[in-house]
Each structure stands twice: as structure tokens, then as C-alpha cells.
């Protein structure tokens, strides 16, 4: 299975604790980090904590991790109904990268659809 097929495969993410996620962020493989990013976006209620980790991966050198972070930010916007300015800025930076623009645009669409003005 190539990278695109692997990314398109739907897997229901299991909830992880903050401690499990932080361990994956520190020592995990790309797949473990991606799974943890998506899981925390869906299951951790502290939006600011979630976004801090997403932002770090939106700025990561690995394209797969940046893509996972963009997807995670879209999920977080849907779950939390808000996105902070730092996360939005980091996502906008990906819009000019041809390799990331599709994922970044999808996340921006999610943010526009699911966030509310505060």
C-alpha cells in the first residue's frame, strides 16, 4: 500500500490519554504520531492543549506529519467549534506549499464550516 492509499484508509481512532499521546509525540513512529494527533483532536477536551501539539506538527519537516496535523486541526474545529489564531496561522502557511495545499484547504473548509464567531 502506498502512502496515499494508507492515508485514505479509514481507521476509527481509539481514545488515548494525554500521557499516551505525549509518549507517542516524543518516541513514536510516524504512524503512531498521526494516530495520536487524530485521537487527541477527537477525544481530548482541552482545545488549547490539543492545538499546541497540532501546531508543532503543522510546522514539522515531515510532510506526512504536516498532513496529519492539518486533518487533526479540521477534526478539532468540528469537535470544539473554535480554532486559535496560532493554529490558524500555521495552517495558512501550508496553503502555499503545493504538497500540502490540498490538506490545508480541506482543513480550512472544516474550520469555516464548524467554527463559530466568539
Amino acid at each position: 500500500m502506498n502512502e496515499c492509499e494508507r492515508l485514505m484508509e479509514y481507521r476509527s481512532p481509539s481514545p488515548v490519554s494525554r500521557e499516551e499521546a505525549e509518549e507517542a509525540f516524543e518516541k513514536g513512529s510516524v504512524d503512531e504520531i498521526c494516530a495520536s494527533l487524530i485521537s487527541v483532536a477527537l477525544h481530548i477536551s482541552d482545545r488549547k492543549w490539543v492545538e499546541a501539539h497540532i501546531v508543532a506538527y503543522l510546522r514539522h519537516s515531515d510532510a506526512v506529519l504536516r498532513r496529519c496535523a492539518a486533518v487533526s486541526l479540521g477534526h478539532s474545529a468540528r469537535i470544539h467549534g473554535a480554532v486559535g489564531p496560532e493554529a490558524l496561522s500555521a495552517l495558512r502557511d501550508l496553503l502555499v506549499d503545493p504538497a500540502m495545499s490540498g490538506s490545508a484547504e480541506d482543513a480550512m473548509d472544516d474550520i469555516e464550516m464548524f467554527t463559530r464567531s466568539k
Side-chain angles (χ1 to χ4, degrees):
M1 177 181 304
N2 68 35
E3 178 190 346
C4 288
E5 291 169 334
R6 185 174 55 80
L7 289 172
M8 296 297 290
E9 178 185 1
Y10 177 78
R11 289 175 261 159
S12 181
S14 301
V16 296
S17 68
R18 285 184 186 213
E19 294 77 20
E20 291 168 322
E22 287 175 349
E23 184 174 329
F25 298 152
E26 288 178 29
K27 303 176 192 172
S29 67
V30 169
D31 285 344
E32 291 167 333
I33 294 168
C34 284
S36 291
L37 280 170
I38 291 170
S39 182
V40 300
L42 294 171
H43 301 290
I44 299 287
S45 62
D46 183 346
R47 181 182 62 83
K48 290 181 181 182
W49 183 89
V50 170
E51 283 186 14
H53 292 285
I54 290 173
V55 166
Y57 286 102
L58 286 171
R59 295 179 174 148
H60 198 277
S61 62
D62 186 291
V64 172
L65 292 175
R66 289 193 310 274
R67 193 170 291 115
C68 287
V71 169
S72 297
L73 189 59
H75 287 314
S76 181
R78 180 174 55 84
I79 298 297
H80 298 289
V83 173
E86 185 179 6
L88 197 54
S89 176
L91 182 63
R92 283 188 180 126
D93 290 344
L94 296 184
L95 291 170
V96 298
D97 179 348
M100 293 293 113
S101 61
S103 297
E105 288 168 4
D106 289 345
M108 290 296 288
D109 289 344
D110 288 344
I111 290 166
E112 290 174 18
M113 182 179 299
F114 296 113
T115 59
R116 57 189 173 271
S117 299
K118 291 194 172 196

